[in-house]
Every structure is written in C-alpha cells, then in structure tokens.
Amino acid sequence: MRFVDEFRDPALAAALIREIGTICATLGRAKDDPVTVMEVCGGHTHAIFRYGLEGLLPDLIEFVHGPGCPVCVLPMGRVDDCVAIAERPEVIFATFGDAMRVPGSRKSLLQAKADGADVRMVYSPLDALELARRNPDREVVFFGLGFETTMPSTALTVQRAARERITNFSLFCNHITIIPTLRALLEQPDFGIDGFIGPGHVSMVIGTAPYRFIAEEFRKPLVVAGFEPIDLLQSLLMILRQMAAGEARIENQYARVVPERGNPSALRAVEEVYEPRPTFEWRGLGSIERSGVRLREPYAAFDAERRFAVPDVKVADPAACRCGEVLTGAVKPWACPVFGTTCTPEMPLGALMVSSEGACAAYYQYGGLRGAA
Amino acid sequence: MNGPFSLPRRAPRKVTQPKVTLAHGGGGTAMRDLIEDVFLETFSGAGHAAPEDQARFDLSALAAQGDRLAFTTDAFVVDPLFFPGGDIGKLAVCGTINDLAVGGARPVALSCAVIIEEGLPLETLRAVVASMARTAAEAGVVIVTGDTKVVARGACDKLFLTTTGIGVVRTGLDVGIAKGRPGDVVLVNGLLGDHGAAILNARGDLALETPIESDCAPLHDLVATLIAAAPGIRMMRDATRGGVAAVLNELAEASGVGVRIRETDVPLRPEVNGFCEILGLDPLYLANEGKLVAVVPPEEAEAALAAVRAHLLGREAAIIGRLAAERPGRVVMETRFGGERIVDMLVGDQLPRIC
Amino acid sequence: MCLGIPGRIVAIADEDAMLAVVDVSGVRRTVDVVCVAQEGEPLEALIGVWVLVHVGFAMSRIDEEEAAATLKVLAEIGEMEGELDAMRTGSVAPLAPAN
C-alpha cells in the first residue's frame, strides 16, 4: 500500500534503532531510570504492540501508554446510559465495533444485543444515517465516540441529517477532547514523563499549535507522529534529539497528513455543532473540566440524551483497579493486583483491559515481551 | 385400509407452493413431497432407491480403503445464505469433507440435516440443495441420508444445515494436533482470510465494495497430494473460525512446542490486506474455508510445498513458520521488520477497530 | 484510537452530496469529502488525490512532497545508504530483538 509500506521498511527501522541507541547512551540515564515517552493515542499503543517495537529498543527507553483510547476511558455510567437507550424497542442503536464489548455496570452492548436490543455495528456515522433513511418508523441512535479525529465525522453527519430533515436520527455524544486531558496529566505533581508522541490523526484536525503549552509551560518535547512503525521510531528519535540538545519543542513528523493549521472545514463543523461540557468523567482519571462536548442548542433535536431519558447515574470504578496510575505511567500494567487474574479481556474489570488499544489488554493479548511474559 | 372412503395412494408430487410452510415439516404428504422433490431428486437423481431411515454401507468395501473410520459433524448457520464465492450448501459440503480430509481420511458419504424457517422461498431452498449436490458430485462424495424440520418464523434464521460425514483413514497414517515437534515446518495452501472478509462484507453493514470471494473448496484431493509428497506429515487442520491464529495456538498448546511464524511469509491478497487495514482487523484471525495449516518434518518440507503448489487449490501455498522448543504453548510472530509479538487466541469474534 | 488509512479518490459518487469513491488496495467505499474539497473547485479535481480516510470521511489530503521529504530525511540518518542496500540484498543479518 502506498504511504504505508514505505514506512514499514525493516532496513530503515534498523538504522533508526541504532541511531536511537547512540543518542540514548549520551543522555546519562540508567536502566532503573529510563527515558519515558508517553504515546497519547491508543492507535500508537496498538502499533507499538503489533510491530513488537518495545523489544527492539534499548532498555533505556520505555513507552508509557497514555489515555488516548476513547473506548477505554468511557465511564461505566455512560455505558449504562447507552445500554438503556439501545434497549428501547423503537431504537436501532448503531455503533463502531470497538464499543460493543465495553462493560457497563449491568451489561455491555453485546450482552444487550443478546437480550434482544437492536444493536448494529457500522463503519461510519454515515451508515447510521443511512439506517435512519431506510427505517423511517424506527429511531436510529449513533454512539458518538472518540477524540477530535472522529468529532468532525459525527458533526458533519448531524448537519447532513438536519439538511435532509431526517427526524429519526440522533447522536449519543461521548466525544472527548485531548488538550484538557493532557493538561490535567501534566499538572499531576509527580508526572515524570520525559516527552510525548503526539496523536497523529487528532492533529490532522486540530493542527499542532494547541500543543504549544506543553513545550512552553511544562518544558516537554512533543512530536506529532504517524502510525507506521517507522513513523514511531523517527518520532522517538526526534524527541531524544531534543532532549540531548536540552530543548522542548513541538515538532511534526507526520507532515504528509498533518497540516500545521489542522483542517479548517472539520474545525468549523465541530465548532458549529458542539459546545464544551463544563466537566466530563473519564474512566480511570476522574472528572476533567471542559474535556467533553455536547450538541449545541440548534441541534438539540439530534441529541439522544435530550430525546430519551437516560439513567445518568455515576458508577465508581472498581476499587482494586489501578487504571489511573497505569494511564499516567506511575505503574506498569502487570503491577496492578488484578491484572490477568480477575481482570482479563474476557471479563474486563478496569478500563484499560476493555479495548485492544487499552494498555492492559495490549499487554495481555500480545504478552508484553519485556515485563509480563 | 379398505372401505368406501379409501383412495388409492398417490405418488409424490412436485412442490409448487412458493414458500416453505409448517405443513412441509408435519410428517404428512406435504413433507413427503418436499423430501422427494427437493432433496432426493437432487441428491440421487430419478430412480433412487426406496427411502429408508438410514444409509447402509458394505463394511468390506470400506475396510479395503484404510484401517480406521473417520466420523465428523458440523452445523452451518452462515448469514447471508449466498455470498460471493459460495453459499451455505457449498459451505456445508466442503466443511465436512475438509474435516474428514485433514484427519487423513478419504471422504465417503455425508448426511444432511436441514432446519428451515417457515416462509423460506422454495426457490432459495432448491438453490441451496442444488449447490450441495453439485459440490458433492464434484468432490466425488455422496449425500446418503438426511432429515428435514420446519420451524416457526423466528425459531431459526432462514436455513440451518448440519452435515455429518464418514471417511476412511489411510492405513498407517497418524496425524494429530499433538504431533508437532521442534524443527517441523508449518505451511498453508494459499492466501488467507478470503472467506472471513467476504462474509463480513456480504452482511453489508460496512458498505465496502470488494472483489473478495470466499475461498470455500473441498480439500481432500489436495490433502491426498500433500500426503503423497510428505508421508511423515504430522498434522493438518482447516483454518476456519478463529483463522490460522486459532489453529497455531491449539497446535502450540497440544504439541507443547513454540510456534514461530514470519509476518512477511504470510500470504495475503492485497484486497484482504486493504480490507483489514480499513477495519483494523488482523487477517490471521479471519476464517478460511479452503485453507489448511499443515505441519511437516523439515526433510519433507520442500517436497510438500512443491506438491501443494502444483495443485489447483495450492498455487499460493507458503511456508509461514517453524516449530521450536522455546516458548512452548506460545505463537510468536516475527513482525515485518524483526520485532516480535505474541499471536494469542481471541476472546470472541474479532470486532472492527475503528475509533 | 482514530484508525485512518490512505486511499485514493477514484470517482465522484454524488457531486451535490459531496460524496466520492475512495480505493484502498482494491477495496472501495463511498466517503464524505467535505473536509478535503477546496472552495470554488469542482469535485472532479479530487480524482486521483490521495487522502487519509477515517470512519467514512476523507479527513486530509496526503501531501506527497512531505511524504517524500520525510523519507529523504530518514534515508540520510546516519550513513546508512550503503547499509540499507546491503540489508536489502541480504548481506547483513536482519534485526534481532534487543532483549
């Protein structure tokens, strides 16, 4: 595949890894004090495991798998709300496949489907809108999930529905934004991450400017990265080079896809359709101010939360889980007392075991070859 | 019965109703008509023997072909019933032939149990049965017995098939999932994931256009070729649900060996690769219906590969890995540029990873 | 998160609805092109353009020059030109895991 295979070249990887090793050695770090780099995005976590990158890097480098998996950080109470909507007899509940297995306090969407709810797995919000067109006597609700990457697609779909005057379509909006979350992480007192691999596809929408505070206020380097293994290795090298030079800048490794200014059409749609919620709850991290969005008043008719009564009950995360600490890099997944015992991909207890992009599930599934295996 | 009201018994008639109804499962003449017209005519042609409740085999004829009987059964509930590259009927025949073949058996005969949801168009049923008959004839096996049930709407989804098969295992041949040894070579007979991708796409919810067709095919002839080229063969499995990943994990566990495969050696159609990239799927977990995983001793690997490649159903065959003493019970894949990852069993179905 | 992959626009499906057909390794899908269309330019101009596709939306035009520039930088890292060729022809041992 073009723009993919070129960035999976093993010979390039070998050269990059050697260069990474060379720079790493100059940083004066030790095995028990490695350079820690957080990849914010779950897609990066997935790529790191899929290609076995951790095992190829020097011991002096450690990835910390950040909070960028929207399925993992969805709080249980919200899952309960979506199950409640999906179980209404008039509703066709359309969702991305990822969200099907996320456990609520009662059940997951997959279990709700088994109990008779009409849950459909779609590839695109456009497909949910098509379901609404084809089923005028049903209420089609789309499970809006994801960061800024996915936000424009649901915003544009809602606008399309409004234009076509489709009245049986609505959105259960759980979109979250990355910047307030990064700030919340950075403001934690003992946050020891040396640098960030920035989310490539979020950045193609928002651009690179919103990250400036990370370099300016917190003196940490961030490199926006693509999702192929060479992209990740090059980004890591760019971070290390900044560290070696004593710099902290925002760089863009993924310039083939990420324009510095982001995507103005996408941002306009997001701005027109959504407004920030005062606060939004994250599984494992707690409430973060202005980190979630909801539909603006002119689009109220398309808001599933206003259309259908939802329980809206907060459910506490299981006490034994150390998800929050794993997310912030304070502990590794296998240091959690329930990892692989009462918390497995079959019966996930904590947020990070839920999706294959969650740090714990990734370690469990691919057997972190370093630590857990 | 004698008397003024007795009528002469009528001969079975053609079924002319457009849809199957509960009457077709009621045990009366409607059922007899359905069985005669739709099944017996198609499976055995006109002039078939009187229908009995069981098929009977000449033991000495079977015994001449090998030293053990192989016996297997499989249920088919695929949705949709017709998909690019096949249909539920072809799938049911191939699936059971393949389950026999990978045990080293020559398939002999199949049975077919059919559960029909009332309201199924008769045309659909005829098409499926014709496809079963055609597939069986091409493969040289006979469908010798069966059963038909009609259930109320909603009690099943359109049409379910269960095929059971018997075959005769070649004398002396002993293949099994626990027989892999370190150093053995793992091969597959072609491009992986076609069936899984074709079915997922045929359901239509994903709205993708692909030229991908199911690889559904009977493998017994290929197996015969393979066994002839590699008489020391350790194991064969058709890589259906759970894909090649599931077979390799079972192999690693049962044989107490590590399985090491190389990502670059895994044969994939570019469209299946594209399909997987779009949906965030891993092709190693996609189902196949015409692909098997075989383990052969290293000294027979080259001959095995050459023989399989010379067969129509094995042209894209490849050696994808080896068994090792290290990491027993684990399947490890060397990734495209030398990294490693563990290929584990999945919890359930693979779900598209999108957001 | 945010699975996106490169595809090439091969046809316009519906000019008014801003829908085009994108091809990914022979797999085709109708996608929304609002985010990559340029004002005042007919949609036809998008045919042949590589885009990054996410959940049925073309979200970014892939900048071929930037891609080439990135690959050039990569090729210059170290003095690896000779090394790369050697590795591709198999005269250097492939990578082994570091631990």
Side-chain angles (χ1 to χ4, degrees):
Chain A
M1 288 171 72
R2 253 194 101 189
F3 304 109
V4 172
D5 293 338
E6 305 93 302
F7 296 91
R8 291 179 184 173
D9 182 340
L12 268 180
L16 278 167
I17 288 164
R18 241 186 308 281
E19 185 68 13
I20 285 168
T22 308
I23 296 205
C24 220
T26 68
L27 292 176
R29 304 292 275 264
K31 266 190 187 183
D32 57 356
D33 175 31
V35 175
T36 52
V37 175
M38 175 179 278
E39 84 280 3
V40 175
C41 173
H44 283 143
T45 307
H46 187 88
I48 287 167
F49 282 99
R50 176 175 170 191
Y51 296 102
L53 289 186
E54 289 202 310
L56 294 172
L57 291 170
D59 282 346
L60 297 174
I61 296 184
E62 202 174 279
F63 285 113
V64 174
H65 314 301
C69 162
V71 175
C72 305
V73 296
L74 191 69
M76 265 196 187
R78 295 296 287 184
V79 181
D80 290 349
D81 291 347
C82 95
V83 167
I85 295 173
E87 284 182 330
R88 298 175 72 99
E90 74 274 28
V91 165
I92 296 175
F93 197 85
T95 174
F96 295 135
D98 322 38
M100 297 279 280
R101 262 197 275 269
V102 189
S105 68
R106 285 192 304 132
K107 52 177 101 167
S108 66
L109 281 172
L110 207 58
Q111 288 161 321
K113 183 170 187 283
D115 291 340
D118 191 349
V119 180
R120 315 271 182 101
M121 197 172 72
V122 294
Y123 164 68
S124 166
L126 292 174
D127 302 342
L129 189 61
E130 180 60 23
L131 279 173
R133 287 191 200 103
R134 276 193 264 139
N135 297 277
D137 52 336
R138 302 284 298 278
E139 284 287 336
V140 175
V141 181
F142 182 71
F143 193 10
L145 200 59
F147 287 92
E148 284 90 336
T149 319
T150 316
M151 235 182 253
S153 68
T154 50
L156 288 163
T157 304
V158 165
Q159 290 185 321
R160 212 176 257 275
R163 247 190 341 266
E164 290 181 36
R165 301 184 195 287
I166 296 175
T167 55
N168 64 327
F169 175 81
S170 59
L171 182 78
F172 183 51
C173 179
N174 290 277
H175 287 304
I176 43 183
T177 54
I178 197 70
I179 298 298
T181 313
L182 283 174
R183 181 175 279 282
L185 276 178
L186 282 157
E187 281 171 353
Q188 295 202 339
D190 52 354
F191 187 70
I193 301 295
D194 292 304
F196 291 94
I197 289 178
H201 291 154
V202 164
S203 307
M204 83 184 158
V205 174
I206 68 173
T208 56
Y211 303 113
R212 269 186 212 141
F213 75 98
I214 295 172
E216 288 163 8
E217 281 178 51
F218 295 93
R219 305 292 308 151
K220 308 273 188 197
L222 179 144
V223 177
V224 170
F227 292 83
E228 299 306 328
I230 296 294
D231 291 324
L232 282 162
L233 292 172
Q234 189 185 14
S235 302
L236 189 57
L237 179 61
M238 289 162 83
I239 291 170
L240 292 171
R241 282 183 171 167
Q242 284 196 39
M243 288 174 68
E247 295 173 342
R249 286 179 290 117
I250 307 304
E251 289 186 279
N252 183 7
Q253 180 275 338
Y254 200 27
R256 66 184 185 275
V257 166
V258 175
E260 301 296 333
R261 291 177 46 237
N263 188 312
S265 309
L267 288 171
R268 195 181 319 124
V270 168
E271 179 59 29
E272 283 167 8
V273 174
Y274 300 119
E275 63 187 7
R277 296 175 194 259
T279 182
F280 196 72
E281 192 199 342
W282 293 54
R283 204 164 168 167
L285 292 180
S287 292
I288 301 175
E289 273 176 37
R290 295 176 78 80
S291 65
V293 298
R294 64 184 173 207
L295 288 155
R296 285 187 190 276
E297 199 51 42
Y299 294 97
F302 298 96
D303 189 346
E305 275 173 272
R306 292 187 233 192
R307 238 159 126 141
F308 308 102
V310 293
D312 193 20
V313 176
K314 277 197 180 186
V315 181
D317 291 327
C321 288
R322 299 180 68 183
C323 292
E325 290 161 272
V326 174
L327 278 179
T328 55
V331 303
K332 281 285 174 184
W334 59 84
C336 173
V338 292
F339 176 82
T341 55
T342 48
C343 184
T344 63
E346 277 121 283
M347 292 292 284
L349 205 58
L352 300 176
M353 194 58 97
V354 169
S355 151
S356 66
E357 297 186 9
C360 295
Y363 270 98
Y364 189 91
Q365 197 83 45
Y366 293 143
L369 290 168
R370 266 190 189 183
Chain B
M1 205 201 302
N2 290 314
F5 301 108
S6 73
L7 294 166
R9 279 183 63 88
R10 67 168 179 83
R13 282 192 296 222
K14 286 271 173 208
V15 180
T16 51
Q17 295 97 315
K19 290 184 173 181
V20 178
T21 66
L22 284 175
H24 288 115
T29 55
M31 185 173 105
R32 196 159 59 108
D33 291 347
L34 184 80
I35 291 171
E36 285 278 342
D37 178 25
V38 178
F39 292 98
L40 291 178
E41 288 279 326
T42 316
F43 286 157
S44 343
H48 52 78
E52 301 289 351
D53 274 352
Q54 70 292 120
R56 299 167 197 181
F57 296 90
D58 184 82
L59 277 183
S60 56
L62 290 181
Q65 295 183 47
D67 62 356
R68 281 150 298 162
L69 200 61
F71 180 46
T72 186
T73 191
D74 212 343
F76 296 85
V77 297
V78 66
D79 174 45
L81 297 178
F82 297 85
F83 45 83
D87 57 80
I88 190 170
K90 182 180 180 188
L91 199 61
V93 172
C94 293
T96 297
I97 288 176
N98 293 346
D99 282 349
L100 292 169
V102 295
R106 295 184 177 92
V108 172
L110 306 183
S111 78
C112 172
V114 184
I115 297 175
I116 307 166
E117 184 184 27
E118 67 174 322
L120 183 79
L122 213 73
E123 204 182 323
T124 304
L125 184 63
R126 284 190 195 277
V128 168
V129 173
S131 169
M132 291 185 83
R134 195 166 47 240
T135 310
E138 281 166 13
V141 301
V142 282
I143 299 170
V144 291
T145 186
D147 184 42
T148 309
K149 294 283 189 299
V150 180
V151 297
R153 189 172 277 275
C156 89
D157 183 16
K158 300 185 280 290
L159 180 65
F160 293 167
L161 301 179
T162 300
T163 42
T164 300
I166 59 165
V168 181
V169 185
R170 292 165 176 83
T171 303
L173 183 71
D174 192 14
V175 289
I177 193 90
K179 296 199 174 289
R181 292 175 213 166
D184 285 353
V185 171
V186 181
L187 69 87
V188 295
N189 65 310
L191 305 167
L192 301 180
D194 291 9
H195 179 76
I199 293 295
L200 200 54
N201 197 55
R203 292 194 185 134
D205 292 341
L206 302 169
L208 300 174
E209 267 176 65
T210 83
I212 304 168
E213 295 194 348
S214 168
D215 59 344
C216 180
L219 293 172
H220 59 305
D221 192 58
L222 176 92
V223 166
T225 308
L226 174 57
I227 291 171
I233 188 162
R234 316 266 201 231
M235 189 245 23
M236 290 174 280
R237 272 288 167 97
D238 51 341
T240 56
R241 260 177 311 172
V244 166
V247 173
L248 295 179
N249 271 284
E250 280 181 54
L251 169 69
E253 205 164 303
S255 292
V257 295
V259 178
R260 259 193 103 75
I261 60 170
R262 286 167 64 115
E263 188 174 16
T264 44
D265 293 337
V266 173
L268 281 184
R269 197 179 293 284
E271 292 87 354
V272 169
N273 192 36
F275 185 81
C276 287
E277 294 279 350
I278 292 173
L279 297 174
L281 299 175
D282 186 335
L284 286 177
Y285 296 97
L286 288 180
N288 307 275
E289 289 292 343
K291 296 294 158 1
L292 55 76
V293 176
V295 174
V296 295
E299 64 276 12
E300 292 179 356
E302 225 168 278
L305 183 66
V308 172
R309 279 194 174 160
H311 195 280
L312 195 64
L313 295 176
R315 279 187 297 210
E316 271 104 359
I319 287 172
I320 61 167
R322 279 174 184 277
L323 308 191
E326 296 80 40
R327 293 222 187 92
R330 283 288 201 183
V331 180
V332 177
M333 179 156 88
E334 217 172 278
T335 67
R336 210 161 280 281
F337 53 93
E340 281 186 351
R341 75 169 166 89
I342 286 177
V343 180
D344 207 348
M345 296 275 260
L346 287 187
V347 176
D349 264 353
Q350 195 175 202
L351 297 174
R353 182 180 67 85
I354 291 165
C355 65
Chain C
M1 179 194 63
C2 309
L3 184 66
I5 45 149
R8 194 163 179 222
I9 295 178
V10 291
I12 304 306
D14 187 335
E15 177 96 36
D16 296 333
M18 302 287 274
L19 296 172
V21 178
V22 74
D23 180 289
V24 178
S25 295
V27 179
R28 291 181 174 206
R29 157 89 204 189
T30 299
V31 299
D32 183 311
V33 291
V34 169
C35 292
V36 294
Q38 259 156 18
E39 239 168 278
E41 198 183 77
L43 273 195
E44 290 285 319
L46 283 175
I47 292 177
V49 169
W50 283 85
V51 291
L52 198 288
V53 182
H54 171 67
V55 301
F57 288 73
M59 292 301 302
S60 182
R61 287 183 190 228
I62 295 179
D63 188 324
E64 305 201 22
E65 280 174 27
E66 287 287 359
T70 304
L71 287 168
K72 187 158 175 284
V73 169
L74 283 164
E76 285 163 3
I77 288 175
E79 291 178 1
M80 50 183 233
E81 286 300 342
E83 197 175 314
L84 283 180
D85 289 342
M87 192 167 284
R88 286 183 182 126
T89 56
S91 57
V92 171
L95 279 177
N99 54 346

